[in-house]
Amino acid sequence: MGFIELNVLNNNALQLAIGIDLGTTNSLGALWKDGRPIVLHPEGQSGYVPSVIYFPEHGEPLVGREAREHALIDPAHTLFSIKRFMGRGLAEVAADAATVPCPLSETAGGVIEFEMRGRKYTPQQLSALILMNVHNMGCQALGGLETTRVVITVPAYFDDAQRQATRDAARLAGLDVLRIVNEPTAASLAYGLDKKGQGNVAVFDLGGGTFDISVLSIQDGVFQVLSTNGDTHLGGDDFDRCLVEVARRELAASLPKDTLDDPAFLQLLRLGAEKCKIQLSSDPEATMHVSLPESGVQWRRSFTREEFDALTKHLVERTIDSCRRAMSDAKLRMTEIDEVVLVGGSTRTPAVRARVEQFFGRKPHTELNPDEVVALGAAVQAHVLVGGTREILLMDVTPLSLGLETMGGAVAKIIARNSTIPCQATEGFTTYVDNQTGLDFNILQGERELAKDCRSLGKFRLTGIPPMPAGMPKVSVRFHIDANGLLTVTAKEESTGKLARIEVQPMNGLTDAEVEGMLKIAYAHAREDFDARRAADLIIELGTMMRATERGLVHARASLDRETIRDIDDAVKQAHAAIASNDTKQLQTARDEFERATLPLAAVLMDGVAKAALAGKKLDEV
Amino acid sequence: MPRQCKCPKCGAELETPLGCGSCGVLFSPAPSPGPFEVFGLAPAFEVDARALKQRLLKLSRLLHPDYYAAGDDATRATAERNTALLNESYDVLADPVQRADWLVRSLGGPSESEQRGMPKAFLVEVLEWNETLEAARESQPSSPPRAALVQLDATLRAQRDDTLKTLGALLTPLPPRAAPALAEARAQLNALRYLEKTLADIEALSVEQASTR
């Protein structure tokens, strides 16, 4: 089965949508073009945007390659792996927080805030900066063609809070999210596995910070996810951390504890560890360097691949545990898996490849670049969503069960994990007291039996129930998980047909009002920046105009009437006043006024220039 | 039975009350159609699993929100709602236990909360099975109580198949509304729920056992 060819670039701009892989380590954009997905990169540049942010002393934060270059020189003002903080509270990210070189706090709604250079940033705002960078790079690559429509990928095992955070980040970046797609599913699209006809595929996706395993059944262009499992806090970062721990242990004798625990120092170690790990994927042995000139420390340590494998074995086994659960949920035997696909930079680690091959009993696919395949798949899905083809259909699942807390702290499951999305469930509620007009419930996501062991998506408050005797109202609450894997809750009182209102206080998430507020601030900043730039431009322009007028008047004063000269003098005075004010509006008025006042002068000058030019020429040369 | 057979817009035969495969228009029927109606099928206990799956894929290609992503808010919301209903209906029809549960309720039979009883002969065995499972849960991996689970798993599967057969016979052909057979079907369903829950527990235990943690 082939894709329908559609030359999007010749169609109107509405037909475009960019696929974006918002990764823990790198982010990347891709687009469907000439019948296939391509990575977007400006001419002569790589399209990768390292998911790194640097905060300079003055001016706006730097994102991507530029930011990464600063990481080694000024680790104290560089942030990595923002994705691991998305939709999470401080208590859940203790290990990651230890390497963050700036103060962390939490908003009232449990959203983490990073404080850099006196300003606070949520993970959503920081991810928005990365998204904007990828989007800009994509638009550059498209030669100025613009679209704000995007498809963004997330780990399949991301829960509702993490997906909401990703969607809010896109909103803050001014992007229009057509769909949030699961990374392993996107990867299977990029591989075009439907062209092989029918079969079952396991996609093993080990990225910089997250791990997913998805089992799919592919048939006639339909990619149906049977099950998914994973760990949103397991990835290359954790492999690096194993080496960092060795370094800290061995450096403990020569460095004070303050230095060993210093987040900036830890980032330095992390970068050294990452480099060493990458080299170990191709060489049997590699050296990790750490240089601290101010402490006189030059640490070099050689690691063999065997030692590295032993240090990280427990991490690899955790991925295999997830694979086992996914296979059990898919109700497939190992022999029924036709293809295994490796995705994510961390699958370059030889021990990971070997273990996956051993577990599934077949050689995994590695033909496509594991760092690009997710973005490419997002572009395929974007192509479907803008109406480019109906030959492909993605049927994904919700990774975690959804439930309600019952009396006594147990969980009543209402939507089972691995249900095909969009999916829905309706639950009936009633009141316990006469004339009760509100109901509170706690919505949970997770597989454990007790509410305290599952993740709360927030407190939902149902209000506006008509006053009736206890037990009389029949409130039906509908839980809908949409094609993005996002939950919405609506409620109706059945006897009156009245819609009850649901107020949601998201856990570790931004409310709509908060997103609006951040957008306003960002807009105000942009407006300020724009105004400042415009004022500077106008001052330069006025200066040039005044100098030209001064020079012009030397030759042309005699040809102008008194009124015009007075007009010009007034305009010059107004211009000086405007420059002193540095006010954009006043500068603009002064500039326009100056242009008007000097028109007669310009005409005289042009006339003179023309006469002079014509003086020495024959008629046919004109 | 499908209450509307022709598309009001183009006049084509409808395969589902949720949308027209011919002109691509989506409908929001009220009240919400039941699972058999969504799939354009007459209610029955026996369902051809393969044909049902093919129909799910076919109807998904018609209704899925991916194909309406560029549409207006109302169209996108309808596509979301209809596909959620399609998937919910599929889950009911594809699983014999849920399917039978729906049939019993739609024919006015007792609900699970109205009748909690299981067949008498079954209850004696339940006690024994529970003991085997508890012993396994409290013992180390690879110990004899764990090994006993393999036997229990086989026993329960055989029992499930038998119970499904009994249930199928009670519901084929469909009994009249509020017939006594429905109460008996409910008892069989309660037994099946127990069997499925226990089989899932055994599966979870064996996955845990294989895990390293």
Side-chain angles (χ1 to χ4, degrees), chain A residues 42-81:
Chain A
E43 186 106 22
Q45 280 183 53
S46 149
Y48 290 107
V49 172
S51 304
V52 182
I53 302 177
Y54 175 69
F55 299 82
E57 201 173 344
H58 301 292
E60 291 299 304
L62 299 177
V63 179
R65 208 161 297 275
E66 249 184 309
R68 208 186 150 88
E69 279 160 15
H70 281 90
L72 273 174
I73 312 158
D74 188 7
H77 295 102
T78 315
L79 292 178
F80 292 88
S81 301

Side-chain angles (χ1 to χ4, degrees), chain A residues 99-119:
Chain A
T99 59
V100 171
C102 69
L104 290 174
S105 55
E106 226 178 57
T107 66
V111 179
I112 294 173
E113 287 186 304
F114 298 81
E115 192 178 337
M116 274 286 189
R117 308 267 195 202
R119 259 178 85 178

Side-chain angles (χ1 to χ4, degrees), chain B residues 119-165:
Chain B
K120 278 220 177 66
F122 192 80
L123 283 172
V124 186
E125 288 176 294
V126 163
L127 291 174
E128 198 181 307
W129 296 333
N130 280 349
E131 266 171 37
T132 314
L133 188 62
E134 275 318 302
R137 202 173 266 151
E138 280 157 18
S139 56
Q140 294 301 312
S142 333
S143 60
R146 286 288 179 110
L149 282 185
V150 179
Q151 182 52 45
L152 180 61
D153 190 74
T155 310
L156 296 186
R157 276 173 202 279
Q159 185 77 39
R160 181 181 62 180
D161 293 347
D162 286 350
T163 315
L164 272 175
K165 261 191 212 120

Side-chain angles (χ1 to χ4, degrees), chain A residues 317-546:
Chain A
E317 285 311 312
R318 269 168 67 188
T319 67
I320 297 299
D321 289 348
S322 286
C323 292
R324 218 172 263 130
R325 284 187 217 112
M327 287 300 292
S328 162
D329 283 353
K331 299 191 168 65
L332 290 181
R333 284 186 302 274
M334 215 59 87
T335 49
E336 292 174 287
I337 294 289
D338 301 294
E339 316 272 353
V340 179
V341 173
L342 292 185
V343 185
S346 303
T347 56
R348 289 199 176 90
T349 301
V352 172
R353 286 194 178 191
R355 188 70 179 93
V356 173
E357 184 174 340
Q358 184 199 13
F359 179 77
F360 286 104
R362 62 179 53 244
K363 208 160 191 62
H365 279 280
T366 52
E367 297 92 328
L368 292 182
N369 182 338
D371 290 321
E372 291 181 353
V373 60
V374 169
L376 292 172
V380 176
Q381 179 65 357
H383 178 60
V384 174
L385 291 168
V386 295
T389 176
R390 269 201 181 221
E391 297 208 358
I392 295 167
L393 175 62
L394 246 187
M395 292 169 70
D396 221 315
V397 300
T398 180
L400 298 158
S401 301
L402 193 76
L404 289 173
E405 180 169 353
T406 61
M407 294 237 207
V411 182
K413 295 250 162 82
I414 49 177
I415 292 178
R417 68 169 181 271
N418 296 318
S419 292
T420 303
I421 51 173
C423 58
Q424 63 179 9
T426 309
E427 287 284 308
F429 293 91
T430 190
T431 51
Y432 301 106
V433 200
D434 287 350
N435 300 325
Q436 186 179 344
T437 56
L439 273 172
D440 286 315
F441 43 101
N442 185 13
I443 301 187
L444 302 152
Q445 219 172 8
E447 307 312 320
R448 305 284 296 275
E449 311 226 329
L450 292 181
K452 67 175 173 60
D453 298 321
C454 289
R455 190 185 168 73
S456 170
L457 297 184
K459 305 282 182 205
F460 287 64
R461 163 159 288 204
L462 188 63
T463 58
I465 302 170
M468 280 189 249
M472 280 296 286
K474 283 195 171 59
V475 184
S476 70
V477 179
R478 185 167 163 271
F479 301 87
H480 178 102
I481 298 180
D482 69 11
N484 302 304
L486 289 169
L487 173 72
T488 48
V489 185
T490 48
K492 196 166 78 184
E493 201 290 306
E494 295 288 353
S495 65
T496 58
K498 218 180 134 192
L499 281 174
R501 244 194 358 268
I502 296 259
E503 286 161 27
V504 187
Q505 182 54 59
M507 190 73 90
N508 310 120
L510 300 172
T511 60
D512 274 352
E514 282 172 316
V515 174
E516 295 297 325
M518 286 178 185
L519 272 173
K520 259 192 212 130
I521 293 169
Y523 181 74
H525 277 300
R527 186 80 227 168
E528 265 167 39
D529 291 352
F530 178 80
D531 279 354
R533 223 175 21 244
R534 181 82 191 124
D537 288 350
L538 283 167
I539 288 170
I540 293 168
E541 198 180 352
L542 271 172
T544 315
M545 285 165 92
M546 280 195 288

